[in-house]
Amino acid sequence: MPEHPATRTTESPDKHERIYKLDRRAIQILRENEYGDYTLPTRGLYPYQWNWDSMFVSLGFAEIDLDRGWKEVESLFEGQWLNGMAAHIVFRRDDPSYFPGPKVWGTTHYPATSGLSQPPVAASVVRDLYERDPILGHERLKKLFPRLMAWHRWFHTMRVVSGGAAIAVTHPWESGRDNSPDWDEALANVDATGVSPYERRDLSHVDASMRPTNADYDRYIKLVEYGRGTGWDHAQITREGPFAVADPGITFILMRADRDLLALANILGEKGAEYEIDKWLWKRGSAADYLWNESLGAYTTRNMRTRLYGEGVSSVAFLSFYAGLSDPERDPRLLENLERLCGAVKYSVPSFDPEHPKFDSKRYWRGPTWAIINYLIARGLKEHGYEDLAQKIRLDTRQMIEHAGFFEYFDPCDGTGSGGKDFTWTAAIWLAWASPSVDTSFPVTRLL
Ligand code: DGY
């Protein structure tokens, strides 16, 4: 791989100044979007606490205020249900600028939450926080550990279908990748007739060309109505509901989080938990087999009702490395796909294959590059020895942020910032990973 221009280290004082400025701006964004012990993804578009947003934000806080990083995780678990689910949104209050708010979800949890979950990055984040300062972290880890166990157990029981191992999402929102082409086939089978009238609020914050279509939205709301109608019976929703799709994104993130949880169980001497997590991890080979799409040479989604595979390669396919999976036959094909996807655009990693007719460089999860996914992919690649590729992804992330600012996502073709601006998770990923001041070789002390 040719050397990326940004790896050349002729650092000018100007450049240092710019980095200080961006670091400072990122810290400011975290602080501006803070709301007590949790943080809003961005003001306007997302006025509550979102599950995986918060966890990436915690990594950002850990760079400047470790105690605040822990609080972000602890506050998320105020939204944990008795059945173990950590909800995807914790509302706490009603903000009319967002739809669908707590009344539409109609859950019985207090504080009010949505009725589904989101990719479980929490255990991996908790491990990172703990390792930064085991003394500060020990008591906090002890309190959070049973909650993390309960959430993982919920996934392994409530989001798998009879004897299977791959984790299903029962709503595109649960995957965190709302309008990915990965859901098109399954979503087309959701009958949206009779959906209650509603008014979208997202379009008053962000341009419609960057957001899901109205046809998608009708189905999202119809699925919420279905869940509410079951009294949020998660077993029934997964087993019989109108939408259940095995997702490599959530499956690989959980696999990684299981391994991190096992390490935490070991630290705490939780033998029973270790045994239970081992059983989950034992099934990871069959989860991977289920999701492997031989004709595309990548892991793809798979509709649990029709058994059909996703029609194209999404960036989450490459999270297998992050999950800790390695396979001598599959890895070269995956890497070939990764190089192809990245080679077709200017800024890696596009969320969907740029050579596929459904690619759309601006529309949310149908093409744009996301800093958080880049971070996860690169971390996995680095752990498996693909340092150059990992570094390219990191430098691309850095350049997009340097050029466009802390946007929610970026057009992979020209790096334009899209979606919400001053976005907390992008600022957090900057601080934790993309900023040059994270390089140990780069002698910059972060100015607070
Ligand atoms: C939204 O409202 O667009 C969110 O993605 C749902 O979590």
Side-chain angles (χ1 to χ4, degrees):
M1 177 142 315
E3 193 191 26
H4 197 285
T7 51
R8 291 185 209 119
T9 46
T10 39
E11 312 291 359
S12 64
D14 273 14
K15 180 155 184 194
H16 285 235
E17 200 37 56
R18 260 193 309 127
I19 293 158
Y20 288 140
K21 254 167 107 178
L22 279 170
D23 279 7
R24 272 203 298 266
R25 181 66 197 127
I27 294 168
Q28 237 174 26
I29 290 174
L30 257 58
R31 293 298 190 194
E32 282 167 11
N33 291 339
E34 231 179 328
Y35 210 95
D37 286 345
Y38 66 97
T39 313
L40 313 181
T42 186
R43 292 203 178 254
L45 184 60
Y46 299 121
Y48 305 109
Q49 184 175 25
W50 261 261
N51 187 320
W52 72 330
D53 284 81
S54 245
M55 297 306 92
F56 290 110
V57 168
S58 167
L59 290 179
F61 271 121
E63 295 288 327
I64 52 165
D65 180 349
L66 187 55
D67 175 65
R68 182 61 186 75
W70 280 101
K71 284 201 175 114
E72 190 76 28
V73 184
E74 289 155 358
S75 65
L76 175 73
F77 279 90
E78 289 166 13
Q80 183 168 36
W81 289 21
L82 280 177
N83 72 2
M85 183 188 78
H88 111 282
I89 308 173
V90 190
F91 292 111
R92 292 193 180 82
R93 67 207 160 85
D94 198 355
D95 186 326
S97 71
Y98 181 80
F99 177 85
K103 290 205 187 71
V104 183
W105 288 93
T107 62
T108 52
H109 190 271
Y110 182 83
T113 70
S114 69
L116 39 91
S117 201
Q118 238 181 359
V121 277
S124 302
V125 167
V126 165
R127 183 176 180 189
D128 284 350
L129 297 183
Y130 174 82
E131 285 177 353
R132 275 175 175 262
D133 184 345
I135 294 172
L136 174 79
H138 196 77
E139 281 310 303
R140 304 180 95 147
L141 169 63
K142 256 170 61 187
K143 285 206 189 99
L144 277 169
F145 183 80
R147 290 177 166 265
L148 292 165
M149 277 301 288
W151 188 24
H152 285 214
R153 190 179 300 122
W154 177 86
F155 270 115
H156 286 290
T157 52
M158 294 294 183
R159 288 296 190 245
V160 291
V161 183
S162 58
I167 306 295
V169 293
T170 59
H171 192 300
W173 287 344
E174 197 158 62
S175 71
R177 303 184 293 122
D178 304 13
N179 67 339
S180 166
D182 288 350
W183 321 121
D184 286 1
E185 179 258 334
L187 214 51
N189 297 333
V190 175
D191 179 6
T193 45
V195 66
S196 313
Y198 64 92
E199 193 192 323
R200 285 179 70 166
R201 294 293 156 80
D202 56 325
L203 301 184
S204 54
H205 304 289
V206 172
D207 192 280
S209 66
M210 299 175 185
R211 295 287 300 172
T213 61
N214 286 337
D216 283 342
Y217 233 81
D218 280 354
R219 290 175 170 82
Y220 299 158
I221 301 308
K222 193 68 193 205
L223 287 172
V224 171
E225 290 176 353
Y226 169 81
R228 191 180 63 210
T230 69
W232 295 107
D233 178 337
H234 293 137
Q236 183 187 332
I237 293 168
T238 309
R239 218 172 35 232
E240 299 164 18
F243 186 98
V245 182
D247 175 23
I250 222 159
T251 302
F252 291 150
I253 286 171
L254 181 64
M255 230 178 246
R256 168 54 176 261
D258 281 341
R259 292 171 60 215
D260 290 322
L261 196 58
L262 185 61
L264 295 173
N266 196 270
I267 288 163
L268 294 176
E270 292 278 354
K271 290 280 167 236
E274 284 181 37
Y275 176 69
E276 189 175 356
I277 301 166
D278 268 337
K279 283 200 300 189
W280 300 332
L281 285 170
W282 184 252
K283 296 205 281 187
R284 59 197 199 135
S286 52
D289 290 348
Y290 186 80
L291 296 168
W292 180 253
N293 182 331
E294 185 57 31
S295 69
L296 290 179
Y299 295 101
T300 59
T301 47
R302 206 159 165 198
N303 187 341
M304 295 228 162
R305 304 286 183 254
T306 60
R307 301 183 83 75
L308 287 174
Y309 288 101
E311 55 183 298
V313 182
S314 279
S315 54
V316 292
F318 312 114
L319 291 178
S320 57
F321 300 103
Y322 175 76
L325 290 174
S326 175
D327 181 297
E329 316 252 289
R330 292 174 184 168
D331 290 359
R333 297 193 66 195
L334 264 178
L335 291 168
E336 203 180 297
N337 260 313
L338 178 57
E339 302 252 11
R340 184 177 63 78
L341 261 68
C342 295
V345 292
K346 197 155 173 223
Y347 297 100
S348 52
V349 178
S351 47
F352 196 66
D353 184 349
E355 290 172 349
H356 192 284
K358 285 194 169 173
F359 172 79
D360 180 340
S361 69
K362 295 238 176 297
R363 204 180 280 281
Y364 214 33
W365 289 93
R366 298 177 84 85
T369 293
W370 294 72
I372 50 140
I373 300 289
N374 279 5
Y375 162 75
L376 298 177
I377 294 175
R379 189 162 172 168
L381 288 170
K382 189 166 180 202
E383 287 165 353
H384 283 77
Y386 304 110
E387 300 253 355
D388 289 353
L389 213 41
Q391 184 65 351
K392 173 189 161 39
I393 293 170
R394 178 160 174 247
L395 294 174
D396 282 358
T397 313
R398 179 184 302 171
Q399 288 197 343
M400 286 185 297
I401 296 173
E402 280 176 353
H403 293 154
F406 296 96
F407 272 87
E408 184 178 8
Y409 43 92
F410 301 87
D411 183 325
C413 301
D414 61 11
T416 315
S418 308
K421 68 190 246 288
D422 298 336
F423 217 84
T424 326
W425 73 8
T426 309
I429 289 298
W430 172 268
L431 289 172
W433 175 65
S435 166
S437 59
V438 182
D439 291 346
T440 43
S441 57
F442 190 76
V444 171
T445 318
R446 196 160 257 149
L447 299 179
L448 296 192

